[in-house]
Amino acid sequence: MTWRPAFWLVALAVLVVDQATKIWALHSLVPGEPHEVIGQFLQIQLTFNSGAAFSLGADYTWIVTLVMVAITIGLIWYARRARPGLAVALFGIALGGALGNLIDRLFREPGFARGHVVDMINYNGWFIGNVADIAIVGVAIVMLVVTFMGRQLLVPAEPEHAEGEDSDVVSDGAVVLDGAAANDVATPDADEADAPSPVTPEAGVPRV
């Protein structure tokens, strides 16, 4: 499990694009004023969201902020096990989107951890989002599709060593000796090696 530079680079790229579009919207748009891109189906309209997606939890901004912090930590944690390639890119995109909205929650008006997220993309009046939302929702959809296709995005977790795994006793009951003990058994003492071996007298020869 290693950190991959690509993961952080992708996250940084998404974060920069998200914050750049928000800065542009704040300096170029009038809040609430729509600008048609594809008729009314897709419009640019600056608004501020105190809740989560679809303005859920608008009265509990600090709770939404805590949830976003937990999601961000979770993404970073699981990204260590992301398989090279697609999985690394997906986790990086998701992290960039999560950080983009988390920065708004932490540092924008009306106060720390109660900030309103800057949204500017109006989807036919159904909801208004931003680049970070596109990153998060897009990654979630792709991950679902990839999972249904049977592809694994994470490297299996390494199993923890069971207690007593290093025991000298093998499962079949045989005792495994360590190196020092094996040498003691295999090599006799020097005194024993130099001592003459007892001679068995031949039959008919009287003992002295």
Side-chain angles (χ1 to χ4, degrees):
M1 313 299 177
T2 58
W3 296 113
R4 297 181 176 88
F7 165 70
W8 298 107
L9 291 175
V10 172
L12 179 61
V14 174
L15 177 60
V16 169
V17 173
D18 174 70
Q19 290 299 307
T21 55
K22 290 174 177 176
I23 293 173
W24 169 82
L26 290 171
H27 287 81
S28 304
L29 303 177
V30 176
E33 181 178 311
H35 300 270
E36 294 185 354
V37 177
I38 305 178
Q40 293 186 351
F41 183 78
L42 183 64
Q43 304 176 71
I44 300 297
Q45 181 180 358
L46 177 61
T47 187
F48 303 94
N49 182 10
S50 60
F54 307 104
S55 297
L56 298 176
D59 296 330
Y60 302 95
T61 304
W62 66 274
I63 296 179
V64 176
T65 301
L66 292 178
V67 172
M68 289 299 301
V69 171
I71 292 175
T72 302
I73 294 175
L75 287 170
I76 295 174
W77 177 262
Y78 281 101
R80 300 182 310 158
R81 293 170 48 197
R83 293 182 180 276
L86 178 61
V88 172
L90 290 176
F91 274 95
I93 294 172
L95 178 62
L99 288 175
N101 283 341
L102 181 59
I103 288 175
D104 286 8
R105 297 290 182 196
L106 293 176
F107 302 114
R108 294 196 186 276
E109 297 294 337
F112 181 78
R114 296 181 294 111
H116 295 176
V117 173
V118 177
D119 291 332
M120 79 292 294
I121 306 175
N122 188 334
Y123 300 91
N124 199 37
W126 297 331
F127 60 92
I128 303 177
N130 53 39
V131 173
D133 296 333
I134 295 174
I136 296 172
V137 175
V139 165
I141 294 174
V142 173
M143 282 187 171
L144 285 176
V145 173
V146 171
T147 301
F148 281 124
M149 293 174 60
R151 293 185 57 183
Q152 293 186 351
L153 296 174
L154 298 178
V155 176
E158 297 179 357
E160 297 181 358
H161 294 291
E163 185 176 356
E165 183 178 351
D166 296 333
S167 174
D168 291 338
V169 180
V170 192
S171 59
D172 60 0
V175 177
V176 179
L177 301 176
D178 57 19
N183 291 334
D184 292 341
V185 173
T187 305
D189 293 339
D191 295 339
E192 296 179 359
D194 295 338
S197 59
V199 178
T200 303
E202 298 179 1
V205 178
R207 296 177 179 270
V208 178

